[in-house]
Amino acid sequence: MEPIQHPDLQLDVRSLPPPERHRRIFALFASLHDGQALILISDHEPRPLRTEFDRVHGTQFVWMQRQLGDGRWEVRLCRPRAVAPDAAIEAGLLRSTVFSQANQNVLQELAHYSRRVAIKRHHCVAEQGVLWPYVGVVETGIVQAQLVTAAGREQAMYDVLPGDLFAETAFFDRGHMSMRHVALTADTIVLLLPTERLRAVVEHDRTIRQQLEETAAQHTRAILGRFEAHLSLPTMLRVAQVLLPYAAPALGLTEALAPLQKMTQVELAASAGTGKEVVSRALAELEVFGAIRRDGGHIVKLDRAKLVDVIERE
């Protein structure tokens, strides 16, 4: 007898009051059957939810996220397939948006030729302008894609979170790395997949190729969003937008999500596309407004509603 196929569940959280959203989502995820997924539609990047899933469920979920336009984000949540306890690389690949549905033979082949490496905070994973022979998958921690100018100025373009993949542009065009990728957290572990092995797999697996293309599209959207903000928005608004993903959906000042509490003003300036001194002034104004609280020079608390007020008021 074939197993029962359960239809995916869908929840548009935009219709729910923010305090009720996470409780409802966690309850639905707990009710999922094997092979079933939960599709979420949100009006903002759901990084607070992702952080809470990391804390509650550890590695026992697959997170596939897409931005589909202004004010619309879609997340597909499901449970990963089980692997042998000693198959760490296979387990890491199964949490990836690209490889979560790969068949067992493909998964074992990629895992056999891949490496699992730990990267210290602020250390470079892949340098800009080099021929890098890998595609990377973040297992734990955060890797940040940074564009470096000839004058040495850095602009953070997007973060690569656990399960996400990077270096797909160089994979497709066989060119140099278009950005530098740096570990943003101390616990960063990256899986390095040899490019040529992955190309051999993609020739016969349309699903993996499609997922790689969707990853490239999402990174392009993120880059365009950064440039649009840089060209059209005042500094205060850009800084508020950088901080917003680290704000929990709760009332009042609440603890800032990782890794914001350890970020320097130089790192925040790179994300906002401005200088350290300008960020310092913007943070002081946000603190007077009650949108943030600092301790020892680092941001420790955020008020999501007040950050949104700053953004919408501008």
Side-chain angles (χ1 to χ4, degrees):
M1 180 182 296
E2 293 192 7
I4 299 174
Q5 297 294 321
H6 297 276
D8 292 341
L9 303 180
Q10 182 165 314
L11 177 65
D12 188 339
V13 301
R14 296 174 298 181
S15 63
L16 297 175
E20 295 182 14
R21 294 178 179 182
H22 285 201
R23 178 185 57 79
R24 181 80 176 276
I25 292 166
F26 274 87
L28 286 174
F29 183 77
S31 72
L32 292 178
H33 298 277
D34 289 343
Q36 191 178 27
L38 171 61
I39 312 298
L40 304 175
I41 299 172
S42 176
D43 53 5
H44 64 274
E45 181 185 358
R47 186 177 289 199
L49 176 66
R50 187 167 185 163
T51 300
E52 190 171 351
F53 260 83
D54 280 329
R55 179 176 57 81
V56 174
H57 290 290
T59 61
Q60 299 308 304
F61 70 96
V62 179
W63 180 286
M64 290 173 274
Q65 176 177 299
R66 298 189 300 161
Q67 181 184 10
L68 301 177
D70 290 340
R72 183 181 174 92
W73 295 75
E74 182 180 283
V75 175
R76 185 178 188 272
L77 274 167
C78 60
R79 293 190 177 87
R81 302 200 311 260
V83 297
D86 59 344
I89 294 180
E90 287 184 39
L93 292 177
L94 280 173
R95 289 200 66 208
S96 164
T97 57
V98 174
F99 304 107
S100 62
Q101 300 176 57
N103 70 53
Q104 193 61 32
N105 290 337
V106 168
L107 197 68
Q108 290 177 344
E109 178 186 352
L110 289 173
H112 176 75
Y113 290 101
S114 298
R115 293 194 297 131
R116 187 171 181 260
V117 298
I119 312 294
K120 295 181 179 179
R121 184 169 184 252
H122 294 156
H123 282 223
C124 186
V125 183
E127 190 56 80
Q128 180 175 316
V130 303
L131 287 171
W132 199 52
Y134 301 104
V135 167
V137 174
V138 177
E139 181 179 309
T140 60
I142 301 174
V143 170
Q144 188 173 78
Q146 302 174 349
L147 186 65
V148 185
T149 69
R153 182 172 177 177
E154 301 172 0
Q155 169 68 60
M157 304 310 298
Y158 55 81
D159 292 344
V160 190
L161 303 178
D164 293 343
L165 178 144
F166 61 94
E168 75 287 344
T169 299
F171 170 83
F172 280 120
D173 67 12
R174 300 174 185 265
H176 293 75
M177 292 291 290
S178 56
M179 288 178 287
R180 178 171 66 187
H181 290 74
V182 176
L184 202 60
T185 53
D187 58 345
T188 303
I189 296 177
V190 176
L191 306 179
L192 303 180
L193 286 66
T195 304
E196 293 308 316
R197 287 287 174 181
L198 183 55
R199 284 202 180 100
V201 166
V202 165
E203 287 181 4
H204 306 286
D205 195 315
R206 288 182 56 85
T207 300
I208 290 179
R209 183 178 184 87
Q210 180 179 346
Q211 292 298 326
L212 281 167
E213 291 169 348
E214 289 193 5
T215 297
Q218 287 299 302
H219 288 167
T220 299
R221 282 186 181 271
I223 292 169
L224 292 175
R226 290 284 190 184
F227 276 113
E228 179 186 14
H230 185 71
L231 292 172
S232 62
L233 302 179
T235 303
M236 174 71 78
L237 182 52
R238 298 207 305 271
V239 172
Q241 285 187 330
V242 168
L243 299 179
L244 188 61
Y246 301 101
L251 297 176
L253 285 164
T254 55
E255 187 174 357
L257 302 177
L260 181 63
Q261 293 189 28
K262 294 185 178 180
M263 281 191 193
T264 65
Q265 290 188 4
V266 172
E267 290 173 311
L268 292 173
S271 294
T274 187
K276 176 185 174 182
E277 295 77 12
V278 178
V279 165
S280 180
R281 291 194 294 271
L283 293 180
E285 292 182 43
L286 288 171
E287 192 162 30
V288 170
F289 183 64
I292 71 172
R293 181 178 294 169
R294 291 181 288 180
D295 183 16
H298 293 277
I299 299 170
V300 294
K301 291 189 176 182
L302 299 170
D303 187 320
R304 185 177 191 88
K306 288 189 175 181
L307 286 173
V308 170
D309 187 35
V310 169
I311 293 169
E312 292 180 345
R313 185 177 56 187
E314 294 289 342

